[in-house]
PDB file of all heavy atoms in Angstrom:
ATOM      1  N   ASP A 147      90.275  96.802 100.637  1.00 83.00           N
ATOM      2  CA  ASP A 147      90.887  98.107 100.880  1.00 83.00           C
ATOM      3  C   ASP A 147      89.820  99.130 101.255  1.00 83.00           C
ATOM      4  O   ASP A 147      89.770 100.226 100.701  1.00 83.00           O
ATOM      5  CB  ASP A 147      91.673  98.561  99.652  1.00 83.00           C
ATOM      6  CG  ASP A 147      92.800  99.541 100.002  1.00 83.00           C
ATOM      7  OD1 ASP A 147      93.082  99.712 101.212  1.00 83.00           O
ATOM      8  OD2 ASP A 147      93.373 100.143  99.090  1.00 83.00           O
ATOM      9  N   LYS A 149      88.426 102.005 103.191  1.00 89.00           N
ATOM     10  CA  LYS A 149      88.929 103.133 103.978  1.00 89.00           C
ATOM     11  C   LYS A 149      88.249 104.392 103.457  1.00 89.00           C
ATOM     12  O   LYS A 149      87.690 104.386 102.352  1.00 89.00           O
ATOM     13  CB  LYS A 149      90.451 103.233 103.878  1.00 89.00           C
ATOM     14  CG  LYS A 149      90.966 103.316 102.451  1.00 89.00           C
ATOM     15  CD  LYS A 149      92.488 103.399 102.446  1.00 89.00           C
ATOM     16  CE  LYS A 149      93.022 103.516 101.033  1.00 89.00           C
ATOM     17  NZ  LYS A 149      94.480 103.557 100.985  1.00 89.00           N
ATOM     18  N   PHE A 187      98.408  89.120 100.327  1.00 48.00           N
ATOM     19  CA  PHE A 187      98.599  90.147 101.328  1.00 48.00           C
ATOM     20  C   PHE A 187      98.463  91.512 100.678  1.00 48.00           C
ATOM     21  O   PHE A 187      99.397  92.029 100.110  1.00 48.00           O
ATOM     22  CB  PHE A 187     100.001  89.965 101.892  1.00 48.00           C
ATOM     23  CG  PHE A 187     100.280  90.773 103.117  1.00 48.00           C
ATOM     24  CD1 PHE A 187      99.850  90.295 104.335  1.00 48.00           C
ATOM     25  CD2 PHE A 187     100.966  91.967 103.049  1.00 48.00           C
ATOM     26  CE1 PHE A 187     100.121  91.006 105.483  1.00 48.00           C
ATOM     27  CE2 PHE A 187     101.218  92.687 104.202  1.00 48.00           C
ATOM     28  CZ  PHE A 187     100.811  92.200 105.416  1.00 48.00           C
ATOM     29  N   VAL A 188      97.279  92.056 100.743  1.00 53.00           N
ATOM     30  CA  VAL A 188      97.120  93.383 100.179  1.00 53.00           C
ATOM     31  C   VAL A 188      96.237  94.242 101.068  1.00 53.00           C
ATOM     32  O   VAL A 188      95.507  93.744 101.904  1.00 53.00           O
ATOM     33  CB  VAL A 188      96.486  93.363  98.771  1.00 53.00           C
ATOM     34  CG1 VAL A 188      97.457  92.895  97.755  1.00 53.00           C
ATOM     35  CG2 VAL A 188      95.224  92.551  98.792  1.00 53.00           C
ATOM     36  N   GLY A 189      96.304  95.529 100.815  1.00 61.00           N
ATOM     37  CA  GLY A 189      95.530  96.462 101.608  1.00 61.00           C
ATOM     38  C   GLY A 189      96.425  97.575 102.080  1.00 61.00           C
ATOM     39  O   GLY A 189      97.568  97.688 101.665  1.00 61.00           O
ATOM     40  N   THR A 190      95.908  98.405 102.922  1.00 70.00           N
ATOM     41  CA  THR A 190      96.687  99.497 103.454  1.00 70.00           C
ATOM     42  C   THR A 190      96.859  99.215 104.946  1.00 70.00           C
ATOM     43  O   THR A 190      95.858  98.991 105.625  1.00 70.00           O
ATOM     44  CB  THR A 190      95.954 100.818 103.204  1.00 70.00           C
ATOM     45  OG1 THR A 190      95.504 100.832 101.856  1.00 70.00           O
ATOM     46  CG2 THR A 190      96.854 102.000 103.437  1.00 70.00           C
ATOM     47  N   PRO A 191      98.085  99.206 105.433  1.00 74.00           N
ATOM     48  CA  PRO A 191      98.346  98.694 106.784  1.00 74.00           C
ATOM     49  C   PRO A 191      97.415  99.208 107.884  1.00 74.00           C
ATOM     50  O   PRO A 191      96.944  98.415 108.686  1.00 74.00           O
ATOM     51  CB  PRO A 191      99.784  99.123 107.038  1.00 74.00           C
ATOM     52  CG  PRO A 191     100.377  99.224 105.710  1.00 74.00           C
ATOM     53  CD  PRO A 191      99.300  99.613 104.756  1.00 74.00           C
ATOM     54  N   CYS A 192      97.183 100.514 107.906  1.00 81.00           N
ATOM     55  CA  CYS A 192      96.390 101.048 109.012  1.00 81.00           C
ATOM     56  C   CYS A 192      94.993 100.439 109.077  1.00 81.00           C
ATOM     57  O   CYS A 192      94.370 100.398 110.127  1.00 81.00           O
ATOM     58  CB  CYS A 192      96.249 102.563 108.890  1.00 81.00           C
ATOM     59  SG  CYS A 192      97.745 103.439 109.311  1.00 81.00           S
ATOM     60  N   TRP A 193      94.487 100.005 107.937  1.00 84.00           N
ATOM     61  CA  TRP A 193      93.111  99.518 107.870  1.00 84.00           C
ATOM     62  C   TRP A 193      93.070  97.974 107.795  1.00 84.00           C
ATOM     63  O   TRP A 193      92.030  97.380 107.656  1.00 84.00           O
ATOM     64  CB  TRP A 193      92.398 100.096 106.635  1.00 84.00           C
ATOM     65  CG  TRP A 193      92.067 101.541 106.733  1.00 84.00           C
ATOM     66  CD1 TRP A 193      90.861 102.066 107.114  1.00 84.00           C
ATOM     67  CD2 TRP A 193      92.914 102.657 106.476  1.00 84.00           C
ATOM     68  NE1 TRP A 193      90.929 103.428 107.101  1.00 84.00           N
ATOM     69  CE2 TRP A 193      92.168 103.824 106.711  1.00 84.00           C
ATOM     70  CE3 TRP A 193      94.252 102.772 106.085  1.00 84.00           C
ATOM     71  CZ2 TRP A 193      92.707 105.111 106.559  1.00 84.00           C
ATOM     72  CZ3 TRP A 193      94.790 104.038 105.927  1.00 84.00           C
ATOM     73  CH2 TRP A 193      94.016 105.189 106.154  1.00 84.00           C
ATOM     74  N   MET A 194      94.245  97.398 107.847  1.00 84.00           N
ATOM     75  CA  MET A 194      94.340  95.986 107.554  1.00 84.00           C
ATOM     76  C   MET A 194      94.050  95.092 108.761  1.00 84.00           C
ATOM     77  O   MET A 194      94.506  95.370 109.855  1.00 84.00           O
ATOM     78  CB  MET A 194      95.768  95.726 107.069  1.00 84.00           C
ATOM     79  CG  MET A 194      95.950  94.480 106.282  1.00 84.00           C
ATOM     80  SD  MET A 194      97.681  94.291 105.935  1.00 84.00           S
ATOM     81  CE  MET A 194      97.861  95.299 104.509  1.00 84.00           C
ATOM     82  N   ALA A 195      93.290  94.052 108.524  1.00 83.00           N
ATOM     83  CA  ALA A 195      92.929  93.145 109.610  1.00 83.00           C
ATOM     84  C   ALA A 195      94.129  92.286 110.008  1.00 83.00           C
ATOM     85  O   ALA A 195      94.967  91.970 109.169  1.00 83.00           O
ATOM     86  CB  ALA A 195      91.786  92.254 109.174  1.00 83.00           C
ATOM     87  N   PRO A 196      94.212  91.947 111.297  1.00 81.00           N
ATOM     88  CA  PRO A 196      95.357  91.160 111.761  1.00 81.00           C
ATOM     89  C   PRO A 196      95.561  89.847 110.987  1.00 81.00           C
ATOM     90  O   PRO A 196      96.694  89.497 110.681  1.00 81.00           O
ATOM     91  CB  PRO A 196      95.031  90.859 113.221  1.00 81.00           C
ATOM     92  CG  PRO A 196      93.886  91.694 113.601  1.00 81.00           C
ATOM     93  CD  PRO A 196      93.280  92.280 112.378  1.00 81.00           C
ATOM     94  N   MET A 199      97.439  90.357 107.915  1.00 77.00           N
ATOM     95  CA  MET A 199      98.862  90.575 108.144  1.00 77.00           C
ATOM     96  C   MET A 199      99.578  89.267 108.458  1.00 77.00           C
ATOM     97  O   MET A 199     100.685  89.023 108.023  1.00 77.00           O
ATOM     98  CB  MET A 199      99.049  91.506 109.347  1.00 77.00           C
ATOM     99  CG  MET A 199      98.453  92.877 109.137  1.00 77.00           C
ATOM    100  SD  MET A 199      98.574  93.792 110.676  1.00 77.00           S
ATOM    101  CE  MET A 199      98.004  95.400 110.129  1.00 77.00           C
ATOM    102  N   TRP A 212      86.813  94.380 109.545  1.00 93.00           N
ATOM    103  CA  TRP A 212      87.847  95.045 110.343  1.00 93.00           C
ATOM    104  C   TRP A 212      88.134  96.418 109.745  1.00 93.00           C
ATOM    105  O   TRP A 212      88.108  97.443 110.443  1.00 93.00           O
ATOM    106  CB  TRP A 212      89.125  94.199 110.393  1.00 93.00           C
ATOM    107  CG  TRP A 212      90.282  94.884 111.092  1.00 93.00           C
ATOM    108  CD1 TRP A 212      91.079  95.870 110.574  1.00 93.00           C
ATOM    109  CD2 TRP A 212      90.727  94.661 112.426  1.00 93.00           C
ATOM    110  NE1 TRP A 212      92.010  96.268 111.502  1.00 93.00           N
ATOM    111  CE2 TRP A 212      91.814  95.542 112.659  1.00 93.00           C
ATOM    112  CE3 TRP A 212      90.332  93.791 113.455  1.00 93.00           C
ATOM    113  CZ2 TRP A 212      92.508  95.578 113.867  1.00 93.00           C
ATOM    114  CZ3 TRP A 212      91.023  93.832 114.659  1.00 93.00           C
ATOM    115  CH2 TRP A 212      92.107  94.722 114.875  1.00 93.00           C
ATOM    116  N   ILE A 216      87.874 100.269 111.334  1.00 93.00           N
ATOM    117  CA  ILE A 216      88.931 101.283 111.338  1.00 93.00           C
ATOM    118  C   ILE A 216      88.406 102.552 110.648  1.00 93.00           C
ATOM    119  O   ILE A 216      88.650 103.682 111.095  1.00 93.00           O
ATOM    120  CB  ILE A 216      90.206 100.775 110.617  1.00 93.00           C
ATOM    121  CG1 ILE A 216      90.774  99.538 111.318  1.00 93.00           C
ATOM    122  CG2 ILE A 216      91.258 101.867 110.510  1.00 93.00           C
ATOM    123  CD1 ILE A 216      91.477  99.772 112.620  1.00 93.00           C
ATOM    124  N   ALA A 226      93.221 107.093 110.855  1.00 89.00           N
ATOM    125  CA  ALA A 226      93.236 105.716 111.337  1.00 89.00           C
ATOM    126  C   ALA A 226      94.100 105.689 112.615  1.00 89.00           C
ATOM    127  O   ALA A 226      94.991 106.522 112.757  1.00 89.00           O
ATOM    128  CB  ALA A 226      93.801 104.811 110.263  1.00 89.00           C
ATOM    129  N   TYR A 228      96.651 104.112 113.951  1.00 88.00           N
ATOM    130  CA  TYR A 228      98.118 104.087 113.987  1.00 88.00           C
ATOM    131  C   TYR A 228      98.728 104.870 112.837  1.00 88.00           C
ATOM    132  O   TYR A 228      99.809 104.545 112.363  1.00 88.00           O
ATOM    133  CB  TYR A 228      98.618 102.642 113.934  1.00 88.00           C
ATOM    134  CG  TYR A 228      98.130 101.785 115.069  1.00 88.00           C
ATOM    135  CD1 TYR A 228      97.544 100.542 114.824  1.00 88.00           C
ATOM    136  CD2 TYR A 228      98.254 102.201 116.389  1.00 88.00           C
ATOM    137  CE1 TYR A 228      97.097  99.741 115.867  1.00 88.00           C
ATOM    138  CE2 TYR A 228      97.803 101.401 117.432  1.00 88.00           C
ATOM    139  CZ  TYR A 228      97.222 100.188 117.167  1.00 88.00           C
ATOM    140  OH  TYR A 228      96.781  99.404 118.189  1.00 88.00           O
ATOM    141  N   TYR A 231     102.467 105.987 112.527  1.00 84.00           N
ATOM    142  CA  TYR A 231     103.599 105.083 112.476  1.00 84.00           C
ATOM    143  C   TYR A 231     103.896 104.589 111.061  1.00 84.00           C
ATOM    144  O   TYR A 231     103.027 104.560 110.211  1.00 84.00           O
ATOM    145  CB  TYR A 231     103.321 103.887 113.381  1.00 84.00           C
ATOM    146  CG  TYR A 231     103.052 104.289 114.804  1.00 84.00           C
ATOM    147  CD1 TYR A 231     101.750 104.333 115.298  1.00 84.00           C
ATOM    148  CD2 TYR A 231     104.103 104.652 115.643  1.00 84.00           C
ATOM    149  CE1 TYR A 231     101.499 104.713 116.609  1.00 84.00           C
ATOM    150  CE2 TYR A 231     103.862 105.045 116.944  1.00 84.00           C
ATOM    151  CZ  TYR A 231     102.548 105.081 117.430  1.00 84.00           C
ATOM    152  OH  TYR A 231     102.305 105.463 118.705  1.00 84.00           O
ATOM    153  N   PRO A 232     105.127 104.180 110.871  1.00 82.00           N
ATOM    154  CA  PRO A 232     105.468 103.592 109.572  1.00 82.00           C
ATOM    155  C   PRO A 232     104.772 102.238 109.411  1.00 82.00           C
ATOM    156  O   PRO A 232     104.432 101.600 110.416  1.00 82.00           O
ATOM    157  CB  PRO A 232     106.981 103.420 109.633  1.00 82.00           C
ATOM    158  CG  PRO A 232     107.311 103.382 111.076  1.00 82.00           C
ATOM    159  CD  PRO A 232     106.288 104.231 111.766  1.00 82.00           C
ATOM    160  N   PRO A 233     104.598 101.818 108.180  1.00 79.00           N
ATOM    161  CA  PRO A 233     103.824 100.606 107.914  1.00 79.00           C
ATOM    162  C   PRO A 233     104.239  99.385 108.752  1.00 79.00           C
ATOM    163  O   PRO A 233     103.387  98.667 109.255  1.00 79.00           O
ATOM    164  CB  PRO A 233     104.085 100.350 106.436  1.00 79.00           C
ATOM    165  CG  PRO A 233     104.395 101.673 105.873  1.00 79.00           C
ATOM    166  CD  PRO A 233     105.051 102.470 106.949  1.00 79.00           C
ATOM    167  N   MET A 234     105.526  99.184 108.875  1.00 81.00           N
ATOM    168  CA  MET A 234     105.976  98.007 109.605  1.00 81.00           C
ATOM    169  C   MET A 234     105.544  98.048 111.062  1.00 81.00           C
ATOM    170  O   MET A 234     105.181  97.052 111.668  1.00 81.00           O
ATOM    171  CB  MET A 234     107.504  97.880 109.524  1.00 81.00           C
ATOM    172  CG  MET A 234     107.997  97.570 108.158  1.00 81.00           C
ATOM    173  SD  MET A 234     107.366  95.992 107.567  1.00 81.00           S
ATOM    174  CE  MET A 234     107.929  96.051 105.889  1.00 81.00           C
ATOM    175  N   LYS A 235     105.630  99.253 111.593  1.00 84.00           N
ATOM    176  CA  LYS A 235     105.250  99.441 112.976  1.00 84.00           C
ATOM    177  C   LYS A 235     103.740  99.210 113.148  1.00 84.00           C
ATOM    178  O   LYS A 235     103.295  98.627 114.141  1.00 84.00           O
ATOM    179  CB  LYS A 235     105.607 100.870 113.394  1.00 84.00           C
ATOM    180  CG  LYS A 235     105.368 101.191 114.846  1.00 84.00           C
ATOM    181  CD  LYS A 235     106.623 101.065 115.636  1.00 84.00           C
ATOM    182  CE  LYS A 235     106.385 101.434 117.100  1.00 84.00           C
ATOM    183  NZ  LYS A 235     107.531 101.060 117.917  1.00 84.00           N
ATOM    184  N   VAL A 236     102.987  99.646 112.155  1.00 86.00           N
ATOM    185  CA  VAL A 236     101.540  99.460 112.203  1.00 86.00           C
ATOM    186  C   VAL A 236     101.218  97.972 112.269  1.00 86.00           C
ATOM    187  O   VAL A 236     100.376  97.532 113.054  1.00 86.00           O
ATOM    188  CB  VAL A 236     100.854 100.088 110.969  1.00 86.00           C
ATOM    189  CG1 VAL A 236      99.368  99.764 110.947  1.00 86.00           C
ATOM    190  CG2 VAL A 236     101.050 101.588 110.954  1.00 86.00           C
ATOM    191  N   LEU A 237     101.919  97.214 111.496  1.00 85.00           N
ATOM    192  CA  LEU A 237     101.698  95.769 111.518  1.00 85.00           C
ATOM    193  C   LEU A 237     101.926  95.225 112.916  1.00 85.00           C
ATOM    194  O   LEU A 237     101.129  94.453 113.444  1.00 85.00           O
ATOM    195  CB  LEU A 237     102.673  95.072 110.573  1.00 85.00           C
ATOM    196  CG  LEU A 237     102.570  95.332 109.089  1.00 85.00           C
ATOM    197  CD1 LEU A 237     103.448  94.357 108.329  1.00 85.00           C
ATOM    198  CD2 LEU A 237     101.136  95.189 108.634  1.00 85.00           C
ATOM    199  N   THR A 240      99.282  96.417 115.415  1.00 88.00           N
ATOM    200  CA  THR A 240      97.984  95.762 115.188  1.00 88.00           C
ATOM    201  C   THR A 240      98.018  94.321 115.701  1.00 88.00           C
ATOM    202  O   THR A 240      97.054  93.828 116.274  1.00 88.00           O
ATOM    203  CB  THR A 240      97.642  95.766 113.697  1.00 88.00           C
ATOM    204  OG1 THR A 240      97.796  97.079 113.185  1.00 88.00           O
ATOM    205  CG2 THR A 240      96.209  95.312 113.449  1.00 88.00           C
ATOM    206  N   GLY A 325     102.975 107.267 102.211  1.00 36.00           N
ATOM    207  CA  GLY A 325     102.885 106.421 103.395  1.00 36.00           C
ATOM    208  C   GLY A 325     101.476 106.131 103.829  1.00 36.00           C
ATOM    209  O   GLY A 325     101.214 105.126 104.455  1.00 36.00           O
ATOM    210  N   THR A 326     100.549 107.015 103.482  1.00 39.00           N
ATOM    211  CA  THR A 326      99.191 106.767 103.920  1.00 39.00           C
ATOM    212  C   THR A 326      98.492 105.795 103.017  1.00 39.00           C
ATOM    213  O   THR A 326      97.559 105.147 103.416  1.00 39.00           O
ATOM    214  CB  THR A 326      98.373 108.066 103.920  1.00 39.00           C
ATOM    215  OG1 THR A 326      98.610 108.711 102.683  1.00 39.00           O
ATOM    216  CG2 THR A 326      98.739 108.941 105.063  1.00 39.00           C
ATOM    217  N   SER A 327      98.948 105.746 101.805  1.00 41.00           N
ATOM    218  CA  SER A 327      98.270 104.874 100.890  1.00 41.00           C
ATOM    219  C   SER A 327      99.293 104.095 100.124  1.00 41.00           C
ATOM    220  O   SER A 327     100.299 104.598  99.668  1.00 41.00           O
ATOM    221  CB  SER A 327      97.432 105.699  99.935  1.00 41.00           C
ATOM    222  OG  SER A 327      96.715 104.857  99.110  1.00 41.00           O
ATOM    223  N   GLY A 328      99.015 102.847  99.961  1.00 42.00           N
ATOM    224  CA  GLY A 328      99.952 102.012  99.263  1.00 42.00           C
ATOM    225  C   GLY A 328      99.623 100.581  99.556  1.00 42.00           C
ATOM    226  O   GLY A 328      98.614 100.284 100.141  1.00 42.00           O
ATOM    227  N   ARG A 329     100.484  99.742  99.152  1.00 45.00           N
ATOM    228  CA  ARG A 329     100.197  98.327  99.336  1.00 45.00           C
ATOM    229  C   ARG A 329     101.360  97.676 100.061  1.00 45.00           C
ATOM    230  O   ARG A 329     102.497  97.854  99.720  1.00 45.00           O
ATOM    231  CB  ARG A 329     100.071  97.646  97.988  1.00 45.00           C
ATOM    232  CG  ARG A 329      99.184  98.362  97.043  1.00 45.00           C
ATOM    233  CD  ARG A 329      97.814  97.745  97.016  1.00 45.00           C
ATOM    234  NE  ARG A 329      96.932  98.522  96.216  1.00 45.00           N
ATOM    235  CZ  ARG A 329      96.207  99.522  96.705  1.00 45.00           C
ATOM    236  NH1 ARG A 329      96.261  99.828  97.986  1.00 45.00           N
ATOM    237  NH2 ARG A 329      95.421 100.203  95.931  1.00 45.00           N
ATOM    238  N   LEU A 330     100.986  96.918 101.003  1.00 43.00           N
ATOM    239  CA  LEU A 330     102.007  96.156 101.682  1.00 43.00           C
ATOM    240  C   LEU A 330     101.742  94.720 101.313  1.00 43.00           C
ATOM    241  O   LEU A 330     100.650  94.226 101.491  1.00 43.00           O
ATOM    242  CB  LEU A 330     101.879  96.368 103.179  1.00 43.00           C
ATOM    243  CG  LEU A 330     103.023  95.894 104.014  1.00 43.00           C
ATOM    244  CD1 LEU A 330     104.306  96.589 103.620  1.00 43.00           C
ATOM    245  CD2 LEU A 330     102.736  96.168 105.444  1.00 43.00           C
ATOM    246  N   HIS A 331     102.694  94.082 100.755  1.00 43.00           N
ATOM    247  CA  HIS A 331     102.468  92.697 100.393  1.00 43.00           C
ATOM    248  C   HIS A 331     103.737  91.924 100.547  1.00 43.00           C
ATOM    249  O   HIS A 331     104.803  92.481 100.769  1.00 43.00           O
ATOM    250  CB  HIS A 331     101.928  92.598  98.968  1.00 43.00           C
ATOM    251  CG  HIS A 331     102.683  93.421  97.984  1.00 43.00           C
ATOM    252  ND1 HIS A 331     103.672  92.909  97.225  1.00 43.00           N
ATOM    253  CD2 HIS A 331     102.618  94.744  97.705  1.00 43.00           C
ATOM    254  CE1 HIS A 331     104.164  93.873  96.471  1.00 43.00           C
ATOM    255  NE2 HIS A 331     103.552  94.997  96.734  1.00 43.00           N
ATOM    256  N   VAL A 339     106.950  93.805 101.654  1.00 48.00           N
ATOM    257  CA  VAL A 339     107.192  94.813 100.630  1.00 48.00           C
ATOM    258  C   VAL A 339     106.145  95.898 100.742  1.00 48.00           C
ATOM    259  O   VAL A 339     104.959  95.619 100.880  1.00 48.00           O
ATOM    260  CB  VAL A 339     107.102  94.179  99.226  1.00 48.00           C
ATOM    261  CG1 VAL A 339     107.327  95.248  98.175  1.00 48.00           C
ATOM    262  CG2 VAL A 339     108.108  93.075  99.093  1.00 48.00           C
ATOM    263  N   TRP A 340     106.599  97.094 100.701  1.00 46.00           N
ATOM    264  CA  TRP A 340     105.691  98.220 100.761  1.00 46.00           C
ATOM    265  C   TRP A 340     105.793  98.998  99.479  1.00 46.00           C
ATOM    266  O   TRP A 340     106.860  99.481  99.115  1.00 46.00           O
ATOM    267  CB  TRP A 340     106.061  99.100 101.962  1.00 46.00           C
ATOM    268  CG  TRP A 340     105.347 100.408 101.939  1.00 46.00           C
ATOM    269  CD1 TRP A 340     105.855 101.616 101.601  1.00 46.00           C
ATOM    270  CD2 TRP A 340     103.984 100.630 102.271  1.00 46.00           C
ATOM    271  NE1 TRP A 340     104.892 102.563 101.697  1.00 46.00           N
ATOM    272  CE2 TRP A 340     103.740 101.998 102.116  1.00 46.00           C
ATOM    273  CE3 TRP A 340     102.940  99.802 102.681  1.00 46.00           C
ATOM    274  CZ2 TRP A 340     102.485 102.547 102.363  1.00 46.00           C
ATOM    275  CZ3 TRP A 340     101.710 100.365 102.927  1.00 46.00           C
ATOM    276  CH2 TRP A 340     101.490 101.730 102.771  1.00 46.00           C
ATOM    277  N   SER A 341     104.717  99.077  98.746  1.00 49.00           N
ATOM    278  CA  SER A 341     104.753  99.925  97.567  1.00 49.00           C
ATOM    279  C   SER A 341     103.802 101.080  97.745  1.00 49.00           C
ATOM    280  O   SER A 341     102.662 100.898  98.111  1.00 49.00           O
ATOM    281  CB  SER A 341     104.350  99.158  96.311  1.00 49.00           C
ATOM    282  OG  SER A 341     104.335  97.781  96.543  1.00 49.00           O
TER     283      SER A 341
END
Side-chain angles (χ1 to χ4, degrees):
Chain A
D147 205 11
K149 54 181 181 182
F187 191 82
V188 286
T190 314
C192 286
W193 288 263
M194 200 185 276
M199 298 174 174
W212 175 283
I216 299 286
Y228 301 130
Y231 303 102
M234 292 299 172
K235 184 98 178 169
V236 174
L237 294 190
T240 310
T326 47
S327 183
R329 312 261 174 271
L330 193 60
H331 47 96
V339 179
W340 169 256
S341 347

